[in-house]
Amino acid sequence: MPHSSAQQATPARSFSDAEKQALYDIIAARRDVRNEFLPDPIDPDALRRVLEAAHAAPSVGFMQPWNFILIRDEEKRKVICKAFSEANEEAASMFPSERQALYRSLKLEGIAKAPLNIAVTCDRARGGEVILGRTHNKDMDIYSTVCAVQNLWLAARAEGIGVGWVSIFRTGDLRRLLNMPSHVEIVAYLCLGYVSELHSQPELATKGWRSRLDLDSLIMEDAWTGQATVESTE
C-alpha cells in the first residue's frame, strides 16, 4: 500500500542566517562568463555535485526532461565555435548601425577557452503523451529544463566554476553538430571552467549595452497594471 504524504513528510529544515546569506551571496555573485576561464580541468567530484544540483531542479509532473551532453573534444568545440561565429555575424547586422560596433566589441562566448561545454537538452517525449501539469501548457517541460540550468549555474558558482550561456546559433547547425533526435530540444549551450576573477557587475552593464531595471518598476499587484520602464541604452 502506498505511504501517505504525512508518513513520508519530515520537519521542514530551518536555515541559519549565515546559510541564507550564503545563498543570496552566490546569487549576487553569479556572472555570465566569457573570457575569464582558466585552462584547468574541472574536478570530477565538483562536476558531479554541479550536475546533481541541476538534476535536483523542480520539474512539472516530476518528468525530469533534461539531459546533459558533456563536450570536451577540442575539434568538436572548434566546429561549434565556427557555427557561433557565423551566426554572430548575422546577429550583428540585425542591430541599428550605431550599435553594431559596440556589439562586435563584446566577447559573447567562451566555447574554445572553457575546458568544458555542456549542452542541456529537453526530451519532449519523456513521460509519454499526457504529463501531470503539462496538459494545458506544453512548454512546461522547457521551463523545467531552464530551472535545471539555473541550479547548475548557482552550484557551479559555489564551486568556483564560471558558466557562460551561448545562445547565438542557427538552431539547425547546433542540432546537426550534436546529432540531436527530432523530439529533443537544445535549451542551453553552456561553457564551464574555473575562474580567478569576475566582473563586479554584469559585463553587458559595465560595457554600456544595458543597465539593470529597477525592481519596483516590475512589481504589480493582482493583475497587469502598467508597462515596465525601459532604460536608455545610450
Side-chain angles (χ1 to χ4, degrees):
M1 178 179 294
H3 293 291
S4 71
S5 59
Q7 289 173 315
Q8 293 180 343
T10 58
R13 177 181 169 184
S14 295
F15 296 93
S16 69
D17 288 345
E19 289 171 320
K20 288 184 285 188
Q21 189 59 52
L23 174 60
Y24 293 128
D25 288 347
I26 290 167
I27 292 171
R30 184 210 57 81
R31 292 289 176 267
D32 198 356
V33 179
R34 306 299 184 183
N35 203 39
E36 294 78 29
F37 292 112
L38 300 174
D40 313 61
I42 296 174
D43 175 69
D45 291 338
L47 177 59
R48 182 71 186 187
R49 290 191 293 270
V50 167
L51 293 175
E52 286 176 347
H55 189 44
S59 64
V60 170
F62 201 42
M63 68 179 301
Q64 307 156 78
W66 43 72
N67 282 87
F68 308 95
I69 303 174
L70 310 184
I71 304 161
R72 295 187 176 91
D73 182 76
E74 288 188 14
E75 291 305 314
K76 169 74 77 172
R77 288 189 285 132
K78 284 179 182 178
V79 175
I80 292 173
C81 191
K82 182 175 183 293
F84 161 83
S85 297
E86 292 171 354
N88 192 48
E89 187 55 35
E90 291 176 352
S93 67
M94 298 177 188
F95 290 95
S97 56
E98 65 272 15
R99 300 279 279 169
Q100 289 183 19
L102 176 56
Y103 180 90
R104 289 189 171 94
S105 73
L106 299 172
K107 172 69 172 174
L108 296 178
E109 54 78 32
I111 296 168
K113 190 169 185 179
L116 174 66
N117 294 183
I118 300 179
V120 184
T121 66
C122 176
D123 185 340
R124 310 212 71 180
R126 187 165 297 166
E129 286 291 322
V130 181
I131 303 293
L132 188 155
R134 192 180 166 223
T135 53
H136 290 72
N137 186 340
K138 296 300 183 183
D139 289 334
M140 294 306 297
D141 56 346
I142 298 288
Y143 304 154
S144 297
T145 305
V146 173
C147 290
V149 173
Q150 178 77 340
N151 270 22
L152 183 156
W153 211 332
L154 294 178
R157 182 67 190 89
E159 296 281 355
I161 299 168
V163 177
W165 186 332
V166 187
S167 60
I168 306 170
F169 291 108
R170 292 184 293 239
T171 302
D173 289 348
L174 198 54
R175 293 187 65 84
R176 174 178 53 81
L177 292 169
L178 296 180
N179 194 32
M180 301 302 301
S182 60
H183 65 283
V184 178
E185 295 292 336
I186 303 170
V187 173
Y189 191 93
L190 307 175
C191 304
L192 283 79
Y194 290 110
V195 292
S196 60
E197 59 183 18
L198 291 171
H199 291 275
S200 59
Q201 298 294 326
E203 186 174 2
L204 293 185
T206 61
K207 293 189 175 179
W209 187 257
R210 286 183 66 88
S211 59
R212 190 178 296 280
L213 296 175
D214 176 62
L215 174 60
D216 288 333
S217 72
L218 307 175
I219 298 172
M220 303 175 191
E221 294 282 352
D222 297 325
W224 184 269
T225 57
Q227 183 64 42
T229 301
V230 178
E231 85 288 3
S232 170
T233 55
E234 294 301 322

